[in-house]
Amino acid sequence: MATVTDAAAKPPTKPAARFKLTWPWVLLIIAGALCLVSIVRLITGAEDITSTGLASATLRLAAPIGLAGLGGLWAERSGVVNIGLEGMMILGTWFGAWASFQWGPWTGLVFGILGGMIGALVLAVAAVTFGVNQIIAGVAVNILAFGFTQYLSELTFAEEGGSAKQSPPLERIGTFTIPGLSDWLKDLNGKHWFFVSDLAGLLGGAVTNISYLTILAIAMVPLTWFVLWRTSFGLRVRSCGESPKAADSLGVDVYRYKYLAVLVSGALAGFGGYFLADASGLYQEGQTGGRGYIGLAAMIFGNWMPGGTALGALLFGFTDSLNVRSGGENVHALLLLIVILLAGSVLWQLYKRKVTSAAITAVIAGLLLWYYLSTDVVPSQFVAMAPYVTTLVVLALFSKRLRMPKAAGMAYRKGDI
């Protein structure tokens, strides 16, 4: 009896405080990662992995992926899973290139956004109005977009100096460089000092040969955060993705907000599609290269948050840039970085007493280390696979630890119980 009384008298234990990732922690993690990369650069001699040119290419290649990821975020925050991002990017690429050829690049941007919104409207009508399975509706948008743009190319570009698979050369939106700062950072990067030169290379990439479209794409990240998390409109959109019935009971027009969010999703994807056409100076069939799907992976990596989505896009953009700039040597050097990270993971798993996971991770690290020591360069075929392998690894590692909106993927019918 005394034992029961003592237990009842004992105050309840407080749950362990959950770690919150604040900006000082984010900056500390970035600084630590850069130090680790700098160590790998000094050991391997792969100076290009933190060069200004690679940083600039990473930013350019990450922008369309980030725009697709933000598009997926808008749709899924409203409760609609948007697998059709790839098709919306294809429509944005074609319509943007066609309008750019006719009336100039800025008009092309507007038409690219409108092209993405056309695909989004098809998805919204099918998934929101008629309740079609959202995955099937998104796949249908991808198929329709690919076939539709093929047909349009034969009618237009083939008659205007291009071909059925490629447009004529397009006028591009210009780039800018901050002269004094860019030159100073490039010189500092060329000295190959520990950490300082690596930081200069990353910062130099942000002020050298940057497209105005890249600036607009970067601006979409804080703008998305502000609208969705600091306005009543964004609160209503997110409520539709968490509990549409509760939102409806409070007077929110769920159908309307789902439509608006999906249209914004298509606009961002179309923007990303036109970004590709402007960056290359022409339209090509298959130009998107699966970046709509990679954008979805970036969104999942970022836990359905704008900042995390941007970081995921930078990760995928970095792996894609390795394929552009002498990637074999760079990827070979990064194998050592992966080995170091896996070794740290082994120590952490042993600390958590997860012996089996630690053993498996140690075997993988050992195999990668053996491959690194026995080779000098990674074959080009594996370098080309890097963005897609990274996508699979990220999805495998992070998808089970993240939380998507509760009602995402669920059809909503007003009045249903």
Side-chain angles (χ1 to χ4, degrees):
M1 190 71 178
T3 304
V4 175
T5 305
D6 293 341
K10 187 182 293 184
T13 58
K14 294 182 179 180
R18 186 178 179 183
F19 175 74
K20 187 176 181 180
L21 192 63
T22 58
W23 274 110
W25 275 108
V26 171
L27 295 176
L28 185 62
I29 292 172
I30 293 174
L34 188 58
C35 282
L36 192 58
V37 171
S38 186
I39 292 172
V40 170
R41 177 182 61 80
L42 292 175
I43 294 174
T44 62
E47 305 294 349
D48 193 48
I49 60 175
T50 56
S51 68
T52 298
L54 188 67
S56 180
T58 296
L59 199 58
R60 183 177 68 254
L61 294 169
I65 296 173
L67 288 168
L70 289 176
L73 186 150
W74 268 89
E76 296 206 12
R77 281 294 178 179
S78 72
V80 179
V81 175
N82 190 355
I83 298 295
L85 286 170
E86 179 75 8
M88 296 172 195
M89 289 189 77
I90 292 173
L91 291 171
T93 304
W94 192 91
F95 279 99
W98 175 77
S100 178
F101 179 73
Q102 302 291 336
W103 302 295
W106 290 106
T107 306
L109 173 61
V110 174
F111 273 75
I113 291 172
L114 293 176
M117 293 177 72
I118 291 173
L121 184 61
V122 174
L123 175 65
V125 170
V128 178
T129 301
F130 293 103
V132 176
N133 182 282
Q134 295 173 9
I135 304 298
I136 295 175
V139 172
V141 169
N142 293 337
I143 296 172
L144 288 171
F146 182 74
F148 186 51
T149 52
Q150 274 189 325
Y151 172 72
L152 291 177
S153 294
E154 292 179 358
L155 292 180
T156 56
F157 294 145
E159 302 293 332
E160 296 173 345
S163 68
K165 296 182 180 294
Q166 181 174 306
S167 73
L170 306 175
E171 181 184 353
R172 299 175 58 185
I173 293 176
T175 62
F176 71 93
T177 297
I178 302 178
L181 182 60
S182 174
D183 295 337
W184 177 66
L185 290 173
K186 190 177 294 185
D187 291 340
L188 192 58
N189 177 246
K191 296 183 183 299
H192 307 307
W193 293 338
F194 175 77
F195 188 80
V196 176
S197 294
D198 303 293
L199 180 61
L202 298 182
L203 295 177
V207 295
T208 305
N209 293 328
I210 298 300
S211 169
Y212 293 102
L213 291 182
T214 302
I215 302 300
L216 289 177
I218 294 173
M220 293 298 106
V221 178
L223 182 61
T224 294
W225 175 83
F226 178 80
V227 173
L228 287 180
W229 274 268
R230 287 295 182 269
T231 66
S232 57
F233 172 80
L235 178 61
R236 294 187 182 100
V237 169
R238 290 186 290 117
S239 68
C240 294
E242 296 292 340
S243 180
K245 290 177 180 143
D248 185 36
S249 68
L250 295 173
V252 176
D253 189 341
V254 176
Y255 290 120
R256 176 189 174 195
Y257 281 96
K258 282 180 178 288
Y259 259 86
L260 290 173
V262 173
L263 287 174
V264 172
S265 175
L268 289 168
F271 181 6
Y274 176 68
F275 189 103
L276 295 171
D278 179 77
S280 60
L282 49 80
Y283 164 83
Q284 289 179 310
E285 186 178 297
Q287 195 166 25
T288 55
R291 287 178 175 83
Y293 301 113
I294 298 177
L296 279 177
M299 178 198 67
I300 295 171
F301 173 86
N303 199 17
W304 288 265
M305 294 293 291
T309 300
L311 290 177
L314 287 172
L315 171 64
F316 295 123
F318 176 71
T319 58
D320 202 8
S321 66
L322 295 176
N323 189 30
V324 177
R325 295 175 55 89
S326 60
E329 297 177 358
N330 292 333
V331 174
H332 186 262
L334 291 176
L335 287 176
L336 181 60
L337 175 62
I338 296 173
V339 170
I340 295 173
L341 293 175
L342 289 176
S345 177
V346 170
L347 296 176
W348 177 255
Q349 288 169 351
L350 289 175
Y351 172 75
K352 291 290 186 178
R353 297 180 180 178
K354 297 179 179 179
V355 180
T356 304
S357 299
I360 295 173
T361 306
V363 170
I364 296 173
L367 291 174
L368 286 176
L369 181 60
W370 169 80
Y371 182 78
Y372 170 78
L373 294 175
S374 60
T375 58
D376 294 326
V377 66
V378 176
S380 59
Q381 293 85 352
F382 291 100
V383 177
M385 290 166 54
Y388 309 104
V389 172
T390 304
T391 303
L392 293 174
V393 171
V394 166
L395 289 176
L397 293 178
F398 291 96
S399 60
K400 292 183 179 179
R401 302 182 181 181
L402 305 173
R403 178 193 173 276
M404 68 186 299
K406 289 183 180 179
M410 300 180 184
Y412 171 73
R413 282 289 173 270
K414 187 177 179 66
D416 283 354
I417 300 177

XYZ file of all heavy atoms in Angstrom, residues 315-389:
578
model
N 21.662 19.939 -52.845
C 22.346 18.646 -52.810
C 22.269 17.949 -54.173
O 23.278 17.480 -54.709
C 21.717 17.768 -51.729
C 22.172 16.298 -51.699
C 23.661 16.213 -51.380
C 21.350 15.506 -50.678
N 21.060 17.909 -54.744
C 20.901 17.261 -56.042
C 21.569 18.067 -57.153
O 22.106 17.490 -58.103
C 19.420 17.064 -56.350
C 18.736 16.113 -55.405
C 17.628 16.507 -54.684
C 19.214 14.832 -55.228
C 16.999 15.646 -53.815
C 18.595 13.954 -54.358
C 17.485 14.355 -53.645
N 21.535 19.396 -57.038
C 22.223 20.222 -58.020
C 23.727 20.008 -57.989
O 24.392 20.000 -59.031
N 24.258 19.794 -56.788
C 25.696 19.542 -56.655
C 26.076 18.225 -57.321
O 27.062 18.152 -58.078
C 26.080 19.523 -55.183
C 27.513 19.168 -54.930
C 28.532 20.054 -55.247
C 27.862 17.940 -54.391
C 29.862 19.731 -55.028
C 29.179 17.603 -54.163
C 30.179 18.496 -54.481
N 25.307 17.167 -57.077
C 25.615 15.883 -57.713
C 25.456 15.957 -59.229
O 26.207 15.312 -59.971
C 24.710 14.774 -57.150
O 23.330 15.116 -57.361
C 24.944 14.577 -55.671
N 24.485 16.774 -59.680
C 24.309 16.942 -61.125
C 25.467 17.718 -61.734
O 25.907 17.431 -62.860
C 22.986 17.656 -61.390
C 22.469 17.419 -62.799
O 23.057 16.589 -63.518
O 21.457 18.051 -63.178
N 25.979 18.691 -61.002
C 27.089 19.500 -61.526
C 28.375 18.683 -61.655
O 29.244 19.013 -62.462
C 27.338 20.710 -60.622
O 27.797 20.308 -59.339
N 28.496 17.618 -60.862
C 29.679 16.758 -60.985
C 29.746 16.105 -62.354
O 30.834 15.808 -62.862
C 29.643 15.672 -59.900
C 29.750 16.146 -58.456
C 29.607 14.975 -57.506
C 31.066 16.878 -58.207
N 28.576 15.884 -62.939
C 28.520 15.275 -64.264
C 28.906 16.269 -65.356
O 29.246 15.875 -66.470
C 27.108 14.738 -64.518
C 27.014 13.895 -65.762
O 27.969 13.241 -66.156
N 25.857 13.920 -66.399
N 28.850 17.563 -65.020
C 29.126 18.602 -66.006
C 30.609 18.978 -66.023
O 31.188 19.209 -67.072
C 28.264 19.858 -65.720
C 28.582 20.976 -66.698
C 26.787 19.501 -65.781
N 31.236 18.988 -64.845
C 32.610 19.473 -64.724
C 33.541 18.338 -64.280
O 33.658 18.069 -63.088
C 32.673 20.606 -63.704
C 31.907 21.848 -64.128
C 31.917 22.861 -62.994
N 33.257 23.174 -62.553
C 34.013 24.150 -63.061
N 33.540 24.908 -64.031
N 35.218 24.376 -62.589
N 34.169 17.670 -65.212
C 35.164 16.616 -64.928
C 34.778 15.784 -63.718
O 35.513 15.682 -62.737
C 36.553 17.238 -64.690
O 36.530 18.130 -63.584
N 33.568 15.214 -63.787
C 32.982 14.577 -62.616
C 33.708 13.362 -62.107
O 33.614 13.034 -60.931
N 34.429 12.612 -62.951
C 35.061 11.377 -62.504
C 35.998 11.593 -61.331
O 35.944 10.879 -60.329
N 36.871 12.584 -61.413
C 37.808 12.856 -60.335
C 37.094 13.409 -59.110
O 37.447 13.074 -57.972
C 38.868 13.848 -60.822
C 39.731 13.308 -61.964
C 40.723 14.333 -62.471
O 40.699 15.460 -61.941
O 41.502 14.018 -63.383
N 36.111 14.252 -59.334
C 35.384 14.825 -58.209
C 34.614 13.766 -57.431
O 34.633 13.741 -56.202
C 34.418 15.903 -58.708
C 35.135 17.124 -59.237
O 36.248 17.426 -58.818
N 34.525 17.812 -60.182
N 33.903 12.904 -58.149
C 33.140 11.855 -57.488
C 34.081 10.900 -56.755
O 33.776 10.425 -55.654
C 32.269 11.093 -58.508
C 31.592 9.902 -57.861
C 31.222 12.022 -59.095
N 35.235 10.614 -57.349
C 36.213 9.751 -56.681
C 36.667 10.364 -55.365
O 36.807 9.661 -54.346
C 37.411 9.522 -57.608
C 38.393 8.539 -57.064
N 39.541 8.940 -56.408
C 38.406 7.184 -57.054
C 40.220 7.870 -56.026
N 39.555 6.789 -56.406
N 36.894 11.669 -55.349
C 37.288 12.336 -54.107
C 36.154 12.301 -53.083
O 36.390 12.120 -51.879
C 37.689 13.774 -54.399
N 34.930 12.445 -53.544
C 33.798 12.455 -52.625
C 33.519 11.075 -52.038
O 32.823 10.974 -51.015
C 32.552 12.983 -53.340
C 32.595 14.468 -53.695
C 31.362 14.866 -54.479
C 32.702 15.321 -52.429
N 34.057 10.020 -52.672
C 33.927 8.693 -52.057
C 34.598 8.671 -50.685
O 34.091 8.043 -49.748
C 34.559 7.634 -52.958
C 33.805 7.256 -54.231
C 34.631 6.252 -55.045
C 32.440 6.680 -53.901
N 35.731 9.360 -50.566
C 36.409 9.433 -49.271
C 35.540 10.181 -48.257
O 35.472 9.795 -47.078
C 37.765 10.123 -49.428
C 38.598 10.255 -48.148
C 38.898 8.879 -47.559
C 39.888 11.015 -48.425
N 34.847 11.234 -48.717
C 33.942 11.959 -47.828
C 32.815 11.045 -47.337
O 32.460 11.053 -46.152
C 33.356 13.170 -48.568
C 32.293 13.978 -47.822
C 32.881 14.582 -46.553
C 31.719 15.065 -48.718
N 32.276 10.226 -48.240
C 31.205 9.302 -47.858
C 31.720 8.277 -46.849
O 31.027 7.929 -45.881
C 30.631 8.603 -49.110
C 29.975 9.633 -50.028
C 29.627 7.529 -48.725
C 29.533 9.070 -51.364
N 32.949 7.801 -47.050
C 33.547 6.842 -46.108
C 33.653 7.459 -44.718
O 33.344 6.820 -43.702
C 34.919 6.365 -46.618
C 35.654 5.576 -45.546
C 34.760 5.512 -47.864
N 34.099 8.720 -44.652
C 34.231 9.402 -43.359
C 32.869 9.557 -42.692
O 32.724 9.322 -41.480
C 34.914 10.766 -43.555
C 36.358 10.578 -44.043
C 34.911 11.556 -42.254
C 37.053 11.876 -44.412
N 31.862 9.938 -43.471
C 30.513 10.085 -42.907
C 29.972 8.742 -42.414
O 29.337 8.672 -41.351
C 29.576 10.675 -43.961
C 29.862 12.125 -44.372
C 28.937 12.541 -45.508
C 29.689 13.062 -43.181
N 30.229 7.674 -43.180
C 29.769 6.350 -42.749
C 30.498 5.909 -41.482
O 29.893 5.268 -40.600
C 29.985 5.339 -43.866
C 29.066 5.464 -45.084
C 29.466 4.457 -46.159
C 27.607 5.259 -44.691
N 31.780 6.234 -41.368
C 32.518 5.898 -40.153
C 31.928 6.622 -38.945
O 31.778 6.036 -37.860
C 33.994 6.258 -40.328
N 31.568 7.892 -39.139
C 30.903 8.613 -38.054
C 29.561 7.991 -37.705
O 29.186 7.924 -36.523
N 28.849 7.517 -38.741
C 27.563 6.858 -38.491
C 27.743 5.563 -37.709
O 26.926 5.236 -36.844
C 26.875 6.580 -39.829
O 25.661 5.886 -39.639
N 28.824 4.830 -37.984
C 29.096 3.602 -37.235
C 29.301 3.907 -35.750
O 28.743 3.230 -34.865
C 30.329 2.888 -37.817
C 30.782 1.752 -36.907
C 30.020 2.344 -39.197
N 30.091 4.934 -35.463
C 30.329 5.314 -34.064
C 29.033 5.715 -33.371
O 28.785 5.356 -32.209
C 31.352 6.446 -33.997
C 32.765 6.116 -34.488
C 33.647 7.360 -34.448
C 33.369 4.998 -33.651
N 28.184 6.463 -34.083
C 26.916 6.895 -33.490
C 25.994 5.695 -33.226
O 25.346 5.625 -32.178
C 26.236 7.893 -34.417
C 24.880 8.346 -33.931
C 23.672 7.971 -34.409
C 24.621 9.260 -32.862
N 22.658 8.584 -33.720
C 23.218 9.384 -32.753
C 25.438 9.983 -31.985
C 22.615 10.197 -31.805
C 24.826 10.796 -31.030
C 23.442 10.901 -30.953
N 25.945 4.758 -34.150
C 25.095 3.582 -33.969
C 25.608 2.696 -32.837
O 24.812 2.101 -32.099
C 25.021 2.796 -35.277
C 24.197 3.497 -36.350
C 24.353 2.860 -37.712
O 25.203 2.000 -37.917
N 23.534 3.291 -38.667
N 26.926 2.611 -32.688
C 27.463 1.875 -31.555
C 27.126 2.555 -30.235
O 26.831 1.902 -29.222
C 28.983 1.730 -31.699
C 29.469 0.781 -32.805
C 31.000 0.836 -32.912
C 29.000 -0.648 -32.535
N 27.157 3.878 -30.233
C 26.768 4.630 -29.031
C 25.308 4.364 -28.677
O 24.949 4.273 -27.495
C 27.009 6.121 -29.273
C 26.470 7.014 -28.184
C 27.127 7.118 -26.959
C 25.306 7.761 -28.383
C 26.637 7.932 -25.953
C 24.814 8.582 -27.390
C 25.476 8.665 -26.172
O 24.977 9.477 -25.186
N 24.467 4.218 -29.719
C 23.048 3.919 -29.508
C 22.792 2.418 -29.334
O 21.644 1.997 -29.213
C 22.232 4.437 -30.700
C 22.147 5.950 -30.812
C 21.303 6.522 -29.711
C 21.090 8.014 -29.895
N 20.232 8.581 -28.848
N 23.867 1.612 -29.329
C 23.805 0.161 -29.151
C 23.022 -0.531 -30.263
O 22.342 -1.527 -30.029
C 23.189 -0.176 -27.783
C 24.021 0.332 -26.618
C 23.409 -0.016 -25.301
N 24.233 0.483 -24.194
C 23.903 0.355 -22.897
N 22.782 -0.283 -22.567
N 24.692 0.842 -21.953
N 23.128 -0.008 -31.462
C 22.535 -0.664 -32.628
C 23.654 -1.406 -33.353
O 24.196 -0.954 -34.366
C 21.890 0.375 -33.540
C 20.736 1.135 -32.879
C 20.140 2.167 -33.831
C 18.986 2.904 -33.179
N 18.390 3.932 -34.081
N 24.001 -2.572 -32.814
C 25.176 -3.290 -33.277
C 25.002 -3.786 -34.714
O 25.919 -3.694 -35.539
C 25.472 -4.471 -32.324
C 26.715 -5.236 -32.801
C 25.671 -3.967 -30.905
N 23.815 -4.312 -35.025
C 23.590 -4.848 -36.369
C 23.712 -3.764 -37.431
O 24.394 -3.926 -38.448
C 22.210 -5.504 -36.453
O 22.103 -6.510 -35.439
C 21.992 -6.140 -37.813
N 23.048 -2.620 -37.191
C 23.129 -1.506 -38.142
C 24.557 -1.002 -38.272
O 25.017 -0.682 -39.375
C 22.210 -0.369 -37.695
O 20.871 -0.788 -37.639
N 25.279 -0.953 -37.147
C 26.663 -0.488 -37.186
C 27.529 -1.437 -38.002
O 28.401 -1.001 -38.771
C 27.207 -0.358 -35.765
N 27.292 -2.744 -37.868
C 28.084 -3.719 -38.623
C 27.825 -3.595 -40.122
O 28.770 -3.636 -40.936
C 27.752 -5.133 -38.139
N 26.560 -3.445 -40.507
C 26.228 -3.299 -41.930
C 26.858 -2.027 -42.502
O 27.441 -2.032 -43.589
C 24.704 -3.288 -42.122
C 24.114 -4.649 -41.713
C 24.342 -2.967 -43.568
C 22.595 -4.669 -41.711
N 26.753 -0.934 -41.748
C 27.331 0.328 -42.194
C 28.848 0.226 -42.317
O 29.449 0.762 -43.258
C 26.954 1.459 -41.219
O 25.544 1.504 -41.058
C 27.440 2.804 -41.732
N 29.471 -0.478 -41.382
C 30.927 -0.638 -41.425
C 31.355 -1.443 -42.652
O 32.381 -1.131 -43.281
C 31.408 -1.329 -40.152
N 30.594 -2.465 -43.014
C 30.915 -3.248 -44.209
C 30.818 -2.383 -45.455
O 31.706 -2.421 -46.334
C 29.970 -4.471 -44.316
C 30.130 -5.152 -45.673
C 30.249 -5.454 -43.198
N 29.752 -1.570 -45.555
C 29.595 -0.682 -46.714
C 30.750 0.320 -46.791
O 31.324 0.563 -47.859
C 28.240 0.047 -46.645
C 27.090 -0.969 -46.744
C 28.121 1.077 -47.762
C 25.727 -0.349 -46.514
N 31.107 0.886 -45.616
C 32.220 1.842 -45.584
C 33.524 1.172 -46.014
O 34.335 1.762 -46.740
C 32.349 2.430 -44.187
N 33.737 -0.071 -45.563
C 34.950 -0.786 -45.938
C 35.033 -1.058 -47.430
O 36.100 -0.910 -48.048
N 33.907 -1.431 -48.037
C 33.884 -1.676 -49.479
C 34.161 -0.398 -50.264
O 34.915 -0.410 -51.254
C 32.529 -2.262 -49.884
C 32.245 -3.695 -49.396
C 30.808 -4.088 -49.734
C 33.232 -4.681 -50.015
N 33.545 0.713 -49.825
C 33.795 1.989 -50.509
C 35.247 2.421 -50.360
O 35.846 2.947 -51.299
C 32.864 3.072 -49.965
C 31.395 2.995 -50.397
C 30.585 4.077 -49.713
C 31.279 3.139 -51.915
N 35.822 2.214 -49.173
C 37.226 2.575 -48.960
C 38.140 1.724 -49.840
O 39.113 2.241 -50.424
C 37.593 2.389 -47.485
C 39.035 2.741 -47.103
C 39.331 4.204 -47.423
C 39.288 2.446 -45.631
N 37.828 0.430 -49.958
C 38.623 -0.434 -50.836
C 38.538 0.036 -52.284
O 39.555 0.090 -52.991
C 38.111 -1.875 -50.724
C 38.697 -2.774 -51.777
C 39.920 -3.372 -51.784
C 38.062 -3.135 -53.010
N 40.101 -4.089 -52.951
C 38.976 -3.966 -53.722
C 36.824 -2.865 -53.590
C 38.668 -4.510 -54.960
C 36.525 -3.400 -54.826
C 37.438 -4.210 -55.493
N 37.336 0.407 -52.723
C 37.179 0.879 -54.100
C 37.933 2.193 -54.303
O 38.565 2.402 -55.346
C 35.698 1.068 -54.419
C 35.435 1.504 -55.839
C 35.485 0.600 -56.896
C 35.151 2.837 -56.139
C 35.264 0.996 -58.201
C 34.923 3.245 -57.441
C 34.981 2.328 -58.462
O 34.774 2.728 -59.748
N 37.878 3.074 -53.308
C 38.581 4.360 -53.414
C 40.090 4.153 -53.527
O 40.764 4.802 -54.344
C 38.258 5.224 -52.197
C 39.112 6.463 -52.103
C 38.846 7.575 -52.901
C 40.195 6.518 -51.230
C 39.645 8.705 -52.832
C 40.994 7.642 -51.153
C 40.709 8.730 -51.958
O 41.505 9.854 -51.887
N 40.638 3.248 -52.727
C 42.079 3.033 -52.720
C 42.559 2.281 -53.956
O 43.727 2.425 -54.359
C 42.483 2.262 -51.460
C 42.279 3.008 -50.128
C 42.589 2.089 -48.962
C 43.124 4.277 -50.070
N 41.685 1.496 -54.572
C 42.107 0.677 -55.707
C 41.857 1.340 -57.054
O 42.207 0.775 -58.093
C 41.379 -0.675 -55.669
O 39.969 -0.487 -55.742
N 41.248 2.524 -57.082
C 40.974 3.222 -58.339
C 41.450 4.664 -58.243
O 41.682 5.196 -57.148
C 39.465 3.215 -58.662
O 38.751 3.837 -57.582
C 38.949 1.794 -58.862
N 41.580 5.293 -59.402
C 41.981 6.699 -59.460
C 40.862 7.610 -59.921
O 40.899 8.822 -59.675
C 43.180 6.863 -60.409
C 44.422 6.174 -59.868
O 44.592 6.164 -58.631
O 45.201 5.642 -60.682
N 39.878 7.059 -60.626
C 38.786 7.868 -61.148
C 37.551 6.982 -61.274
O 37.660 5.767 -61.477
C 39.170 8.487 -62.523
C 39.335 7.410 -63.572
C 38.142 9.513 -62.972
N 36.382 7.600 -61.127
C 35.123 6.874 -61.258
C 34.694 6.911 -62.724
O 34.764 7.970 -63.367
C 34.028 7.510 -60.369
C 32.688 6.818 -60.569
C 34.448 7.433 -58.908
N 34.266 5.778 -63.312
C 33.830 5.778 -64.721
C 32.713 6.780 -64.964
O 31.888 7.058 -64.090
C 33.341 4.338 -64.930
C 34.069 3.536 -63.914
C 34.242 4.437 -62.726
N 32.693 7.339 -66.169
C 31.722 8.381 -66.506
C 30.281 7.898 -66.390
O 29.376 8.683 -66.091
C 31.983 8.886 -67.928
O 31.874 7.814 -68.862
N 30.054 6.592 -66.619
C 28.690 6.068 -66.517
C 28.155 6.216 -65.088
O 26.993 6.557 -64.884
C 28.639 4.590 -66.930
C 28.935 4.350 -68.406
C 30.418 4.262 -68.682
O 31.231 4.527 -67.813
N 30.760 3.889 -69.911
N 29.025 5.969 -64.103
C 28.603 6.103 -62.715
C 28.427 7.567 -62.331
O 27.585 7.902 -61.496
C 29.608 5.423 -61.792
C 29.629 3.928 -61.905
C 30.600 3.291 -62.645
C 28.655 3.153 -61.288
C 30.620 1.914 -62.762
C 28.659 1.776 -61.403
C 29.636 1.150 -62.138
N 29.228 8.432 -62.932
C 29.079 9.870 -62.669
C 27.713 10.350 -63.161
O 27.026 11.119 -62.485
C 30.206 10.665 -63.356
C 30.006 12.156 -63.152
C 31.552 10.235 -62.800
N 27.294 9.882 -64.346
C 25.991 10.274 -64.873
C 24.859 9.765 -63.997
O 23.779 10.370 -63.941
C 25.837 9.740 -66.301
N 25.095 8.653 -63.294
C 24.064 8.088 -62.420
C 23.974 8.811 -61.085
O 23.018 8.597 -60.331
C 24.359 6.610 -62.163
C 24.169 5.703 -63.368
S 24.914 4.076 -63.089
C 24.132 3.597 -61.542
N 24.953 9.651 -60.749
C 25.057 10.236 -59.410
C 23.784 10.945 -58.943
O 23.325 10.721 -57.818
C 26.258 11.191 -59.341
N 23.145 11.819 -59.768
C 21.936 12.494 -59.286
C 20.808 11.525 -58.932
O 20.098 11.720 -57.932
C 21.539 13.406 -60.456
C 22.773 13.556 -61.263
C 23.523 12.280 -61.114
N 20.654 10.476 -59.728
C 19.549 9.548 -59.518
C 19.830 8.600 -58.354
O 18.926 8.260 -57.587
C 19.285 8.775 -60.814
C 19.139 9.701 -61.996
C 20.177 9.847 -62.921
C 17.992 10.472 -62.159
C 20.056 10.726 -63.990
C 17.870 11.352 -63.234
C 18.897 11.472 -64.135
O 18.784 12.345 -65.190
N 21.098 8.182 -58.207
C 21.463 7.363 -57.050
C 21.280 8.169 -55.761
O 20.782 7.658 -54.746
C 22.917 6.867 -57.189
C 23.375 6.179 -55.908
C 23.044 5.919 -58.366
